Amino acid sequence: MITSKPCISDSIQHEWQKLFRFMSVYLDAPVHLTITSATTRRTTSKNYTESIEIQWPDGSSYGFLTIEHSPQGHDEQTHQLKALKMQIEADLKVEFEQSSKPTSPTIDSYQSLQRTLQTSLEANNEGVLLLNPTGDIIHYNSQLTKMWKMEPLIESGASAEELSDFVESQLINSSLVLKSHQKKFQQYDERKQIDTLYLKDGRIFKRTYLPVIEQEHTIGMVFSYRDITPEQQTKQELREKTNILDTIFDQAPIIMMLVDEHARIEKVNKPGIELSRFGPNSDAIGKLVGDILHCVNAYPNICGTSDACHHCAVRQTLNRTVQTGNGQHKIEGTMQINEGSGTITRHVLVSSTTIQTSTEKKYLLSIDDITERYLAEKSLSESENRFRTLFEYTPIAYQSFGENGCFLDVNNEWSKLTGYSRDDIIGHSFGEIFHTEIRNTFPKHFSQFALEGYVNDLEITLERKDGQTITVLVTGRVQYDNQGNYLRSHCILLNFTERKQIQKELIQAKEEAEEATRIKSAFLANMSHEIRTPMNAILGYAEILNQGITEPVHRDYLSSMQSSGKILMNLINDILDFSKIEAGKMELKKTPVDIRLLIKEILDTFQLKASQKGVKLISQISEQTPQLLLLDELRLRQIFLNLLGNALKFTYKGYIKIEASVIKQAENSATIQFRVEDTGIGIAKEAQTKIFEAFEQIDNQDSKIYGGTGLGLAITHRLVKLMEGEIRLQSSPQKGSSFFVKLPDVTIFNEEDEIEPRNQLAMDGQIPPDTTILVVDDNQANRKVTRGFFGRSQVKISEAENGKHALEMLKQLKPHLIIIDLRMPKMNGFETASSIKNNSQWQNIPLIAYTASELTAQEKKQYPMLFNALIKKPVERKKFLQIVANCLPKTSAHVLTPKLAENELPIFLSGREGEGKELIQTWKSLQKIRPRKTMKEFIDEVSAVAETINHSEITNYVQELEQAFQSFNIEKEEALFRAFPEIIEKLKTEKP
């Protein structure tokens, strides 16, 4: 074993000293190497924070590396000392191995020291920069390039000047750049200097720099850069949190104090200062809690010394916290407080929490004056007790649900209603308690209830606990919290069982009444059919006989027969109209109506009879009344005819006046009032209440004298209501009566608006002789009447007894037209028509429906798709033939001339062109509206022509037209007037 050790050369020791000085600068603490002898023991001064032994290669001790107290961390110190230890022991090994060779230190030893220095610098977490005495960069570690983000510049070979400029561009305080230090390099002394660099990207660097001094000369400069951004952020956050906590403490709405275990104040917040009798915060420091709170037990005693202090809520809370040593304690109690010359009791909530510091324990006291809350809770409790009493004994059943649909509460009335007690249902859902139907539907109803927030009069059927079924109406509202979340619901239940039973009985009564009405309507419709069918034969045969009988007596018999038949038909029509109105099946068809012309025509109708009785007819129409109004002309005419008919019936002298006036007028509508006034016998007041009822007549009225069925005014009243109007009566016995009819918001029709043209009917006698017509009717008499209507014409008539018979005949027969009775056994008219239309060979044959019955709603929908026209029994021969002629195919029937030109006058008007043109011009002017006076002038002109030329065709035409005009047969008059071009067309080629 080698016992003698070589001496370390001065050059190596000199290099070691340089390394020690640099490390001392870097670690900001002196680093020493103490060389020991073999007998020296390792000792560490109390001023040294770290010591590492240096050993020779044989394990013997060379000395100790020590470092004094350093601001660097312990791990950093250890790391740097170990790096120095490795380098020194490597040098010792070389010296030990070459001890026999007296050579001086080599350059390798110096380079080794440089490598050691570089390794130490790279291992550092801080950026390090070394400058030589001229200010040039000797060395910098990789951490420095990362911190300043200089890697791209270094890779591109940037110069030191460029690197310095790049660093300067990142700084906010550019005066601290390296260039300024280079210029002032000679001014540095041995003192360490520290400054702070603020970068534009928000980072903060701490820069430490010291000159390296050797033999009183500066041989270099060491710069150390450390990123202190996280430290600064942490400090800033700490300051902000401290400020927040101080603000919370000071601005808390309750009294907060930091005290010791004796309740002596070390810090108090703003509410505590305001309550205390002291001024600034400093004046309260050191005082006892009782002094701040003005506790009566603190004067004249010292706070905490009185026997009463044992009951103090503050003292009790603090004592418990002190005894347990940790945790939080709360006590709610009372305190007696000095207030002016007296004392008051305050309710307080005291909280005490332990705060452990590094040396001792402190206690945070929170004192909340809850006197107002206590009084409010007390009041609320009393209110809840009152509410609970009212809730339990109110006569209305109440229930409350939670968000899951389970019962939260019910009252006694609910238990009486359902038979379930509160214990039976609390915590269960509504569906669980009651029967299966409710169990299945409740989730859906409850979800909708919770979403919408309310339910009104929800009708449900429940099964009581005893099995009895009840019907209830549920009304409820949802209570939400401040965030709009479901909190609970409140519902009341009303027992609807008895009302439900009454409702069922009312519905049943209504259904029975409707059934009775339906049966009545069906009976009337059936009776109408049964009466109309034979009446069709009676009136039809009478009209056929009237064509051939010339004996005056016999013609008188036929006239009476026809007159009686028409009276009977009018009665049937009145009954049917009344039945339709009652059943709500009468529909209004609005068309433009000339009120002035209509009233004149009504008065003309009664003029003859009024003259015979010596009664004057008067009309009075205000100038504001519009010329044309959209109304149902037929029903309005029916109203006037009933009112004037009644007035004339009961008036023997004086006058009957009809008035029309405007009550209110808008731009496109007006409220019209009609008044029918007479000077007749009048109506007693007690009879006026039932005058508009069906089948009612004035008491003591002789029906043999006045006649009537009592339906006229009842129908009038219902027709006015149907028009959304009102009718009223003013009357006095022996002074006359006035009926007022008011129709609101009637649409005004402008004369410029287009009027729908009326259908034109062909005259009879225009059916070609080769026409074949099939008549399908189960009634033989009706078939004979139909055949008789065609008289002695050459029309070929085939008859079928029912629908099936007709279909069989169609296989051999190809008629031009088929007339089908709708009410037939086995196969009715609609079924027969449907079978014909579904056959490709027969589908183009025109079909006419022939019936004595009213069509049902379903039949009204089917009718247009199957039939070309409808003839209602009984019917006049003329109208029957007109409809038949219109329905014949164009190849079989004569086509009406749509227009009559003035240059197409017939031969018989030769030499009378002026009269002919004037006549045609008059006919054209009457196309839309036919004032009665103008119509009379037209008839007179045609009559004059007929007398002049003595032509049978025109003579018969004008006679029928005048008869229809005088008898107010509107439909016949319309058909004859429209047929005038046919007469002209027919006579074009004939000689007079």
Side-chain angles (χ1 to χ4, degrees):
M1 182 175 182
I2 301 174
T3 57
S4 61
K5 303 297 185 290
C7 294
I8 306 302
S9 64
D10 293 339
S11 61
I12 291 178
Q13 292 185 24
H14 182 69
E15 294 300 327
W16 283 358
Q17 291 300 322
K18 288 182 178 181
L19 189 60
F20 293 158
R21 284 196 297 274
F22 171 75
M23 194 61 66
S24 296
V25 171
Y26 175 69
L27 295 178
D28 197 17
V31 176
H32 304 280
L33 174 63
T34 304
I35 300 174
T36 61
S37 62
T39 59
T40 302
R41 293 185 177 181
R42 175 182 177 180
T43 60
T44 302
S45 173
K46 65 179 180 179
N47 294 326
Y48 297 152
T49 60
E50 189 69 41
S51 177
I52 298 179
E53 185 179 11
I54 305 297
Q55 294 179 343
W56 287 98
D58 62 356
S60 59
S61 176
Y62 174 76
F64 295 92
L65 276 175
T66 58
I67 183 171
E68 296 181 7
H69 179 74
S70 171
Q72 298 283 356
H74 178 268
D75 292 341
E76 184 67 22
Q77 295 175 10
T78 302
H79 177 76
Q80 299 298 339
L81 289 179
K82 286 181 179 180
L84 284 176
K85 168 183 167 62
M86 291 174 60
Q87 180 60 46
I88 294 173
E89 287 183 345
D91 291 339
L92 290 176
K93 181 178 179 181
V94 172
E95 291 295 321
F96 186 80
E97 292 176 349
Q98 298 181 357
S99 60
S100 58
K101 301 176 182 180
T103 57
S104 58
T106 63
I107 298 176
D108 292 339
S109 177
Y110 177 74
Q111 292 177 346
S112 178
L113 285 173
Q114 283 186 324
R115 287 194 299 271
T116 301
L117 179 61
Q118 291 176 358
T119 302
S120 177
L121 292 177
E122 289 299 326
N124 204 308
N125 292 327
E126 297 181 357
V128 178
L129 175 67
L130 303 181
L131 301 180
N132 63 16
T134 62
D136 296 328
I137 297 174
I138 299 176
H139 182 74
Y140 53 86
N141 64 354
S142 60
Q143 183 64 23
L144 182 72
T145 63
K146 292 179 182 178
M147 292 175 63
W148 290 98
K149 302 177 182 179
M150 297 188 298
E151 293 94 332
L153 292 176
I154 293 174
E155 291 177 0
S156 63
S159 64
E161 185 72 17
E162 291 173 337
L163 294 177
S164 179
D165 292 340
F166 180 71
V167 170
E168 181 180 0
S169 67
Q170 299 183 60
L171 290 173
I172 295 177
N173 48 346
S174 59
S175 61
L176 300 177
V177 297
L178 190 61
K179 291 179 180 179
S180 62
H181 296 299
Q182 291 175 341
K183 294 177 181 178
K184 302 177 181 180
F185 193 76
Q186 300 298 328
Q187 299 177 7
Y188 285 113
D189 53 22
E190 295 184 3
R191 291 176 300 176
K192 180 174 67 173
Q193 299 187 37
I194 300 174
D195 55 24
T196 304
L197 306 180
Y198 295 92
L199 277 67
K200 295 177 181 179
D201 61 4
R203 291 181 296 163
I204 304 174
F205 291 169
K206 179 179 181 182
R207 182 172 65 182
T208 305
Y209 50 94
L210 280 174
V212 179
I213 308 297
E214 185 176 288
Q215 297 180 0
E216 298 182 357
H217 293 286
T218 302
I219 63 173
M221 181 64 68
V222 179
F223 288 85
S224 172
Y225 295 87
R226 184 161 61 93
D227 188 350
I228 61 173
T229 306
E231 297 177 19
Q232 295 297 320
Q233 290 176 345
T234 302
K235 291 179 180 179
Q236 180 64 26
E237 291 176 0
L238 182 60
R239 286 193 295 269
E240 291 175 356
K241 290 180 180 179
T242 302
N243 291 335
I244 291 174
L245 292 176
D246 288 344
T247 302
I248 293 174
F249 179 82
D250 197 50
Q251 298 299 325
I254 61 176
I255 299 173
M256 299 182 71
M257 295 177 284
L258 188 66
V259 301
D260 62 11
E261 60 183 358
H262 303 294
R264 195 169 298 280
I265 298 172
E266 296 187 5
K267 186 177 183 178
V268 63
N269 67 347
K270 187 176 180 180
I273 292 297
E274 292 175 350
L275 179 65
S276 72
R277 63 183 61 189
F278 305 104
N281 191 0
S282 58
D283 294 340
I285 303 302
K287 301 299 187 299
L288 294 171
V289 173
D291 298 332
I292 296 292
L293 302 179
H294 308 292
C295 178
V296 296
N297 298 317
Y299 304 97
N301 303 308
I302 299 175
C303 176
T305 60
S306 171
D307 293 337
C309 292
H310 296 293
H311 306 288
C312 175
V314 176
R315 284 286 177 176
Q316 288 180 357
T317 307
L318 180 60
N319 291 340
R320 289 185 184 181
T321 306
V322 172
Q323 291 171 4
T324 57
N326 53 35
Q328 183 182 35
H329 295 276
K330 289 183 179 181
I331 289 180
E332 184 176 329
T334 59
M335 292 186 66
Q336 299 296 318
I337 305 297
N338 287 320
E339 181 76 12
S341 58
T343 63
I344 59 173
T345 300
R346 307 298 294 176
H347 293 264
V348 293
L349 175 64
V350 183
S351 174
S352 177
T353 304
T354 303
I355 298 178
Q356 181 69 54
T357 66
S358 59
T359 58
E360 58 184 341
K361 290 182 179 179
K362 302 295 182 182
Y363 303 94
L364 179 64
L365 278 177
S366 301
I367 304 173
D368 187 8
D369 189 339
I370 60 170
T371 304
E372 293 182 1
R373 191 188 79 184
Y374 172 81
L375 296 176
E377 290 177 351
K378 181 180 179 182
S379 176
L380 178 62
S381 177
E382 294 173 353
S383 176
E384 286 182 349
N385 290 334
R386 291 193 299 270
F387 170 77
R388 173 56 63 176
T389 302
L390 177 64
F391 169 76
E392 289 295 344
Y393 296 102
T394 184
I396 299 176
Y398 168 88
Q399 64 187 19
S400 179
F401 292 126
E403 61 179 348
N404 55 358
C406 294
F407 283 101
L408 295 179
D409 202 359
V410 296
N411 64 352
N412 290 333
E413 189 64 25
W414 189 94
S415 298
K416 293 178 183 179
L417 179 64
T418 63
Y420 291 95
S421 67
R422 182 181 284 104
D423 295 336
D424 293 334
I425 55 93
I426 296 300
H428 297 280
S429 72
F430 196 81
E432 293 177 15
I433 299 299
F434 297 102
H435 54 74
T436 305
E437 182 181 351
I438 291 297
R439 187 178 300 117
N440 294 335
T441 60
F442 176 75
K444 178 182 178 182
H445 286 311
F446 183 76
S447 298
Q448 184 178 0
F449 173 45
L451 179 64
E452 295 180 355
Y454 68 93
V455 63
N456 291 326
D457 295 336
L458 174 63
E459 182 179 323
I460 58 175
T461 302
L462 304 179
E463 184 178 327
R464 285 172 44 88
K465 189 174 183 179
D466 58 10
Q468 180 184 354
T469 299
I470 59 174
T471 301
V472 298
L473 290 180
V474 181
T475 298
R477 294 293 183 270
V478 175
Q479 179 182 349
Y480 300 98
D481 61 17
N482 294 334
Q483 287 73 40
N485 300 317
Y486 181 99
L487 193 61
R488 65 188 300 165
S489 65
H490 308 274
C491 303
I492 60 173
L493 282 70
L494 298 178
N495 192 343
F496 194 62
T497 308
E498 293 183 3
R499 292 175 59 187
K500 183 68 174 178
Q501 182 61 33
I502 295 173
Q503 190 179 68
K504 287 182 179 179
E505 293 174 357
L506 289 175
I507 292 175
Q508 183 179 356
K510 177 177 176 292
E511 291 175 349
E512 291 175 354
E514 290 176 347
E515 178 63 16
T517 301
R518 188 194 65 78
I519 293 173
K520 180 184 71 174
S521 299
F523 170 77
L524 290 174
N526 184 59
M527 288 303 297
S528 170
H529 175 75
E530 295 302 324
I531 295 174
R532 284 175 182 271
T533 299
M535 284 301 299
N536 182 55
I538 294 171
L539 294 178
Y541 282 135
E543 189 170 0
I544 293 171
L545 288 174
N546 195 36
Q547 300 295 320
I549 296 177
T550 58
E551 177 66 30
V553 176
H554 293 169
R555 289 185 66 88
D556 187 49
Y557 292 161
L558 285 174
S559 178
S560 297
M561 184 187 303
Q562 289 176 310
S563 176
S564 299
K566 289 180 180 179
I567 292 173
L568 180 58
M569 290 309 302
N570 288 335
L571 176 59
I572 295 172
N573 290 335
D574 280 349
I575 295 174
L576 287 178
D577 283 346
F578 185 78
S579 177
K580 279 184 180 179
I581 296 173
E582 276 198 330
K585 294 181 179 180
M586 177 167 284
E587 299 177 355
L588 299 178
K589 184 178 180 181
K590 295 183 179 181
T591 58
V593 178
D594 187 332
I595 296 299
R596 291 170 174 78
L597 177 60
L598 177 62
I599 292 176
K600 184 178 184 304
E601 291 178 351
I602 295 297
L603 293 180
D604 289 346
T605 302
F606 295 101
Q607 187 63 54
L608 179 60
K609 188 174 181 181
S611 299
Q612 293 173 349
K613 296 183 69 173
V615 176
K616 186 177 181 180
L617 299 181
I618 305 172
S619 66
Q620 184 176 335
I621 303 174
S622 68
E623 295 181 356
Q624 291 78 21
T625 304
Q627 183 70 22
L628 295 175
L629 296 171
L630 278 181
L631 291 165
D632 189 318
E633 181 178 356
L634 179 61
R635 300 307 170 188
L636 185 60
R637 184 184 296 271
Q638 189 174 355
I639 291 171
F640 285 147
L641 288 174
N642 283 338
L643 293 178
L644 266 75
N646 272 354
L648 188 57
K649 184 190 301 183
F650 299 108
T651 303
Y652 294 97
K653 59 181 179 178
Y655 63 88
I656 297 173
K657 181 167 64 173
I658 180 169
E659 298 177 356
S661 59
V662 176
I663 297 178
K664 182 179 68 174
Q665 184 164 352
E667 182 178 358
N668 298 317
S669 64
T671 298
I672 307 298
Q673 177 171 280
F674 301 104
R675 178 185 182 187
V676 177
E677 179 186 4
D678 65 63
T679 56
I681 63 175
I683 303 172
K685 186 174 182 180
E686 58 272 13
Q688 294 179 16
T689 56
K690 58 181 180 178
I691 193 67
F692 295 113
E693 296 178 9
F695 305 103
E696 289 290 341
Q697 293 181 329
I698 301 174
D699 291 343
N700 301 320
Q701 176 183 301
D702 193 340
S703 59
K704 292 183 180 180
I705 298 176
Y706 299 108
T709 60
L711 280 176
L713 287 179
I715 292 175
T716 299
H717 178 261
R718 285 160 175 77
L719 286 176
V720 173
K721 292 294 183 184
L722 191 62
M723 293 179 176
E724 299 181 352
E726 61 181 39
I727 183 171
R728 58 187 178 88
L729 166 66
Q730 290 181 355
S731 182
S732 298
Q734 308 306 322
K735 293 184 180 180
S737 305
S738 292
F739 287 86
F740 297 87
V741 176
K742 184 170 73 172
L743 301 179
D745 300 326
V746 180
T747 302
I748 300 173
F749 187 84
N750 296 322
E751 295 185 6
E752 294 78 11
D753 295 340
E754 183 179 353
I755 300 178
E756 181 182 354
R758 302 181 182 180
N759 295 329
Q760 296 183 3
L761 297 178
M763 289 290 296
D764 58 336
Q766 301 301 312
I767 303 175
D770 59 345
T771 302
T772 301
I773 297 177
L774 175 61
V775 179
V776 186
D777 198 323
D778 64 314
N779 190 298
Q780 184 179 6
N782 282 335
R783 293 201 304 272
K784 288 183 178 180
V785 170
T786 303
R787 179 183 290 274
F789 279 165
F790 292 100
R792 298 179 181 179
S793 65
Q794 300 299 314
V795 176
K796 298 176 182 178
I797 304 297
S798 298
E799 299 180 15
E801 297 178 356
N802 52 56
K804 291 185 177 181
H805 185 197
L807 297 179
E808 289 295 328
M809 292 181 65
L810 285 174
K811 295 178 181 179
Q812 305 296 329
L813 182 67
K814 293 185 179 180
H816 296 97
L817 182 140
I818 304 175
I819 301 173
I820 305 174
D821 180 44
L822 297 182
R823 305 289 181 253
M824 294 186 296
K826 297 182 180 179
M827 178 181 285
N828 63 35
F830 284 98
E831 294 170 342
T832 303
S834 179
S835 298
I836 293 173
K837 291 297 182 183
N838 289 332
N839 189 304
S840 59
Q841 297 179 358
W842 310 331
Q843 62 183 2
N844 294 325
I845 300 176
L847 305 181
I848 295 178
Y850 201 23
T851 183
S853 305
E854 294 293 325
L855 299 183
T856 64
Q858 183 63 29
E859 288 173 344
K860 287 180 180 178
K861 294 180 181 179
Q862 292 178 312
Y863 159 73
M865 297 181 290
L866 297 175
F867 295 96
N868 298 72
L870 172 68
I871 298 177
K872 296 187 69 173
K873 304 173 187 176
V875 63
E876 294 181 354
R877 175 175 176 271
K878 190 73 173 180
K879 184 175 181 179
F880 176 87
L881 294 177
Q882 290 168 355
I883 295 174
V884 170
N886 273 341
C887 292
L888 282 172
K890 293 181 179 180
T891 56
S892 299
H894 180 72
V895 182
L896 290 178
T897 305
K899 292 184 179 180
L900 186 61
E902 296 177 5
N903 58 356
E904 296 180 346
L905 297 176
I907 297 174
F908 69 86
L909 288 178
S910 299
R912 305 170 62 93
E913 288 82 359
E915 294 181 15
K917 291 180 179 180
E918 184 178 348
L919 186 60
I920 293 173
Q921 189 63 38
T922 303
W923 179 83
K924 286 183 176 181
S925 67
L926 296 173
Q927 292 298 306
K928 290 185 177 180
I929 300 175
R930 298 193 310 277
R932 196 161 180 80
K933 180 179 179 181
T934 310
M935 185 65 184
K936 183 65 170 65
E937 293 174 353
F938 172 74
I939 295 174
D940 290 343
E941 291 177 8
V942 177
S943 179
V945 172
E947 291 179 1
T948 303
I949 64 174
N950 193 22
H951 194 289
S952 59
E953 189 71 32
I954 191 67
T955 301
N956 292 335
Y957 169 78
V958 75
Q959 288 178 353
E960 292 189 25
L961 180 59
E962 186 170 8
Q963 182 181 2
F965 176 79
Q966 294 295 339
S967 61
F968 290 94
N969 190 335
I970 306 300
E971 293 182 355
K972 187 174 181 179
E973 177 189 321
E974 171 79 11
L976 290 169
F977 176 77
R978 297 296 174 185
F980 181 70
E982 288 187 16
I983 300 299
I984 302 301
E985 182 71 19
K986 185 175 181 181
L987 299 180
K988 278 182 181 180
T989 57
E990 291 189 13
K991 295 181 180 181

